[in-house]
């Protein structure tokens, strides 16, 4: 394997390019018209244009990507996450084209492709799943009968689900028919498949997932857990490793369960088994993600294992040299920095990034796909960057993350930075007293807080502007005008802004 095409964009494309470079592999980027000048295109050794901005016309055009791969002569395709990464047909098409697929076999993607198939497989291998069904529901009557059996509340879930779509909590029989219908409709729209099944709704669990690596020689290892309970609308926002709720014994039991599921699916490469961890430490397998995850860096930070390099090494046929006995060292936290206005219902924000100050110093990692001058559009995911820190323990990691967020400045779009600062200051978060409903419960107090830093900044800018106006009105030119008897015209507002911007090193837009 000498040359790899990365069928993705943004931070994960850059992440793979970096791994390629460290392994001495050449990298090929692909891009849409919106990304022609994006960092991943500049950093790769070569780049191929796919098409217009919408992903349906660019990053989702598998046949175009394979044609490009053959044209430029790559040996392998790395799909990143999202886009085509979990499409069985694409993994198969890459293989059929005689190329190496940097991911699990198409058959393993298929085995884990539907939630019900994954549940069935887990049950067959003695891995606990949330009580519920494994067959799609026929109608509301059947759904009510099943819910009666497990007890309300229950959760309706799309078999083909992902990203929290096609899920409905049902708290009483009377709400079943309408919820089932809307879950089925949403599932049909999102996945082209309206199969919906039912699970017991677990109250206040944590989302804890296990990273596995499996090589092509029969070795499959667990690299420990990630805690991903800080979620909004079933979307992860902050992740950490290890989990405050997992001790060595539980880690071992969950790791063993994850490896059992992965082996049952004939898994190879990097994958993640997601579990719900109830307050009584009972865990339930949810599903397996057959790709590299957004939050993989926290595992890398506490294990010292480069997961993306290992994806490439496994695909090239290497053997894993380690076993599941790896214990996490220290603590890592990741904040997803998105272009969303947390104080305004996380409304997506667009614009051009002007000034960008990237945090640095000990234990800080910045994985991003944007730079100063990048345009943030609505075409793609709002995640601008992942800010990741490592420290010897959780308390130090939280204060390090707070310090790093404090250093971060992104000008030109609204971001989730303030929100993350408030979470780091939250006493429940600091105590690790989080579950998957925690953020929704706490959100108002977190984003509604008076955002003191923003107010201080606004006041500082106003003060600087007033001082600047004052200074300009006393400048020699103004003084000269006064001496010749002409009225000392107030300087145009623009110039004060311009000078202030220049003084602060801000780019003018
Ligand atoms: P998706 O693939 O759409 O992300 P998941 O099955 O991974 O769906 O579930 C997404 C999130 O929904 C989980 O992280 C968890 O927060 C919540 N969830 C899923 N199943 C249950 C359940 N049975 N009880 C309570 N919460 C659940």
């Amino acid at each position: 394997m000498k040359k790899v095409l990365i069928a993705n964009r943004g931070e994960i494309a850059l992440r793979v390019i970096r791994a390629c470079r460290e392994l001495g592999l050449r990298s090929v980027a692909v891009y849409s018209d919106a990304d022609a000048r994006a960092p991943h295109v500049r950093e790769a050794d070569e780049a191929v244009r796919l098409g217009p901005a919408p992903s349906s016309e660019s990053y989702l055009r598998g046949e175009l990507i394979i044609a490009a791969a053959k044209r430029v002569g790559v040996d392998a395709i790395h799909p990143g996450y999202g886009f085509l990464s979990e499409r069985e047909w694409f993994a198969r098409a890459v293989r059929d084209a005689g190329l190496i697929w940097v991911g699990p076999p198409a058959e393993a993607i298929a085995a884990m492709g539907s939630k019900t198939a994954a549940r069935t497989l887990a049950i067959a291998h003695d891995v606990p799943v949330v009580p519920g069904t494994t067959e799609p529901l026929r109608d509301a009557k059947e759904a009510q009968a099943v819910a009666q059996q497990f007890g309300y509340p229950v959760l309706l879930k799309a078999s083909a689900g992902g990203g929290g779509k096609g899920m409905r909590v049902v708290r009483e029989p009377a709400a079943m028919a309408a919820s089932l219908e809307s879950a089925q409709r949403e599932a049909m729209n999102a996945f082209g498949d309206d199969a919906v099944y039912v699970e017991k709704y677990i109250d206040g669990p944590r989302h804890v997932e296990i990273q596995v690596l499996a090589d092509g020689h029969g070795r499959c290892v667990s690299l420990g857990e990630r805690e991903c309970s800080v979620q909004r609308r079933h979307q992860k926002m902050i992740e950490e490793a290890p989990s405050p709720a997992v001790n060595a014994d539980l880690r071992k039991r969950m790791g063993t369960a994850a490896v059992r599921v992965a082996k049952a699916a004939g898994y190879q490469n990097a994958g993640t088994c997601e579990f719900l961890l109830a307050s009584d430490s009972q865990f339930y397998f949810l599903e397996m993600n057959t790709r590299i995850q957004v939050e993989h860096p926290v595992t890398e930070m506490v294990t010292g294992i480069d997961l993306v390099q290992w994806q490439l090494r496994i695909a090239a046929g290497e053997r894993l040299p380690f076993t599941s006995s790896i214990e996490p060292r220290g603590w890592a936290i990741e904040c997803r920095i998105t272009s969303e206005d947390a104080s305004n219902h996380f409304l997506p924000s667009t614009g051009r990034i002007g000034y960008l100050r990237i945090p640095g110093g000990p234990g800080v990692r910045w994985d991003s796909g944007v730079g100063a001058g990048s345009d943030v559009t609505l075409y793609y995911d709002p995640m601008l960057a992942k800010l990741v820190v490592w420290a010897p323990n959780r308390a130090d990691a939280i204060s390090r993350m707070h310090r790093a967020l404090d250093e971060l400045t992104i000008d030109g779009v609204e971001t989730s930075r303030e929100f993350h600062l408030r979470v780091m200051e939250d006493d429940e978060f600091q105590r690790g007293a989080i579950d998957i409903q925690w953020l929704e419960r706490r959100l108002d107090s977190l984003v509604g807080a008076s955002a003191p830093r923003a107010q201080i900044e606004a006041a500082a800018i106003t003060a600087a502007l007033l001082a600047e106006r004052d200074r300009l009105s006393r400048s020699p030119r103004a003084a000269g005008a006064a001496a010749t008897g002409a009225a000392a015209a107030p300087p145009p507002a623009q110039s004060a802004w311009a000078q202030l911007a220049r003084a602060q090193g801000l780019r003018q837009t």
Side-chain angles (χ1 to χ4, degrees):
M1 195 158 104
K2 295 202 169 61
K3 194 168 169 182
V4 180
L5 180 143
I6 299 118
N8 216 300
R9 63 178 301 281
E11 71 87 19
I12 193 63
L14 269 172
R15 173 72 189 86
V16 180
I17 292 168
R18 284 175 167 145
C20 285
R21 200 148 284 162
E22 288 170 6
L23 291 171
L25 301 168
R26 283 184 66 78
S27 56
V28 180
V30 292
Y31 62 92
S32 71
D33 290 341
D35 282 338
R37 286 172 302 150
H40 79 278
V41 178
R42 285 203 304 268
E43 285 302 317
D45 294 314
E46 291 171 50
V48 180
R49 174 185 176 269
L50 292 175
S55 27
S56 59
E57 296 174 50
S58 50
Y59 298 105
L60 289 172
R61 296 281 305 274
E63 76 293 355
L64 279 187
I65 292 172
I66 292 174
K70 299 202 96 163
R71 204 165 58 241
V72 298
V74 304
D75 312 298
I77 294 185
H78 191 305
Y81 52 67
F83 294 131
L84 296 167
S85 60
E86 291 179 285
R87 304 284 170 91
E88 178 199 350
W89 67 264
F90 186 59
R92 217 177 277 281
V94 169
R95 192 167 67 189
D96 291 348
L99 300 167
I100 299 170
W101 169 248
V102 186
E107 294 73 16
I109 298 178
M112 292 296 164
S114 96
K115 290 186 195 293
T116 40
R119 279 167 69 79
T120 308
L121 194 80
I123 294 166
H125 290 82
D126 285 334
V127 170
V129 299
V130 183
T133 60
T134 48
E135 295 294 324
L137 295 163
R138 281 189 302 271
D139 52 35
K141 222 168 147 193
E142 186 192 357
Q144 281 168 340
V146 176
Q148 209 62 51
Q149 185 189 336
F150 296 111
Y152 285 90
V154 295
L155 188 61
L156 299 174
K157 275 190 174 183
S159 302
K165 289 206 180 74
M167 282 181 21
R168 295 286 182 283
V169 182
V170 185
R171 299 188 180 276
E172 51 182 26
M176 185 60 87
S179 298
L180 181 62
E181 199 200 315
S182 74
Q184 285 173 329
R185 199 178 333 111
E186 193 171 299
M188 188 47 125
N189 287 338
F191 316 109
D193 175 357
D194 69 356
V196 167
Y197 71 102
V198 68
E199 271 179 21
K200 172 101 190 107
Y201 183 71
I202 310 276
D203 197 33
R206 290 167 181 264
H207 175 117
V208 176
E209 59 188 30
I210 299 282
Q211 176 71 53
V212 300
L213 276 181
D215 66 18
H217 307 277
R219 178 171 276 190
C220 179
V221 303
S222 156
L223 297 182
E225 81 282 6
R226 291 185 286 261
E227 160 79 63
C228 309
S229 296
V230 181
Q231 301 183 353
R232 179 176 169 270
R233 300 192 174 163
H234 307 300
Q235 302 278 345
K236 300 163 188 168
M237 304 199 64
I238 296 173
E239 301 97 342
E240 54 188 298
S243 161
V246 175
N247 60 21
D249 171 59
L250 184 55
R251 177 170 307 122
K252 197 166 170 194
R253 286 190 288 126
M254 293 183 79
T256 305
V259 166
R260 214 180 302 142
V261 170
K263 282 191 165 165
Y267 206 81
Q268 281 173 40
N269 217 281
T272 297
C273 288
E274 297 190 328
F275 295 90
L276 290 180
L277 178 62
S279 46
D280 60 1
S281 287
Q282 175 63 262
F283 60 87
Y284 307 94
F285 171 77
L286 272 186
E287 63 173 341
M288 183 166 192
N289 293 321
T290 53
R291 53 168 156 83
I292 192 79
Q293 305 261 110
V294 172
E295 59 273 23
H296 76 274
V298 291
T299 299
E300 295 186 322
M301 304 290 269
V302 297
T303 61
I305 291 168
D306 189 310
L307 290 167
V308 180
Q309 277 195 14
W310 272 108
Q311 286 196 289
L312 292 159
R313 285 167 181 261
I314 288 170
E318 267 191 56
R319 281 172 192 275
L320 285 172
F322 34 77
T323 63
S324 292
S325 59
I326 294 160
E327 279 296 306
R329 188 181 149 266
W331 214 281
I333 303 179
E334 170 181 286
C335 287
R336 299 189 186 198
I337 309 296
T338 60
S339 53
E340 292 173 314
D341 185 357
S343 63
N344 192 6
H345 308 284
F346 288 84
L347 201 71
S349 168
T350 59
R352 176 166 293 175
I353 295 179
Y355 180 69
L356 173 65
R357 183 184 177 212
I358 297 172
V364 176
R365 168 172 169 177
W366 175 258
D367 278 23
S368 162
V370 295
S374 290
D375 287 318
V376 178
T377 69
L378 290 176
Y379 286 114
Y380 313 114
D381 190 271
M383 195 175 76
L384 301 174
K386 304 183 307 205
L387 179 57
V388 189
V389 301
W390 181 92
N393 57 59
R394 190 167 186 270
D396 288 351
I398 291 172
S399 60
R400 179 162 281 172
M401 178 59 87
H402 194 277
R403 185 272 292 170
L405 286 163
D406 241 338
E407 286 179 15
L408 173 64
T409 309
I410 302 180
D411 210 38
V413 286
E414 299 293 336
T415 75
S416 55
R417 189 191 75 111
E418 280 292 331
F419 160 78
H420 288 296
L421 276 166
R422 299 289 88 79
V423 175
M424 294 304 130
E425 291 160 7
D426 186 272
D427 61 323
E428 287 180 359
F429 179 78
Q430 289 178 358
R431 278 188 278 120
I434 45 176
D435 61 47
I436 59 172
Q437 282 117 31
W438 175 79
L439 186 55
E440 305 279 356
R441 281 199 304 273
R442 203 74 172 169
L443 202 54
D444 282 348
S445 63
L446 286 169
V447 300
S450 57
R453 193 189 141 98
Q455 284 176 2
I456 292 166
E457 275 176 1
I461 289 172
T462 310
L465 275 171
L466 289 173
E468 187 63 14
R469 196 185 64 176
D470 204 33
R471 193 178 74 78
L472 283 174
S473 68
R474 282 187 271 106
S475 71
R477 222 188 64 204
T484 58
Q494 180 71 23
S495 75
W497 277 111
Q499 293 209 16
L500 183 68
R502 230 174 290 131
Q504 295 196 336
L506 296 172
R507 185 184 284 222
Q508 276 211 291
T509 51

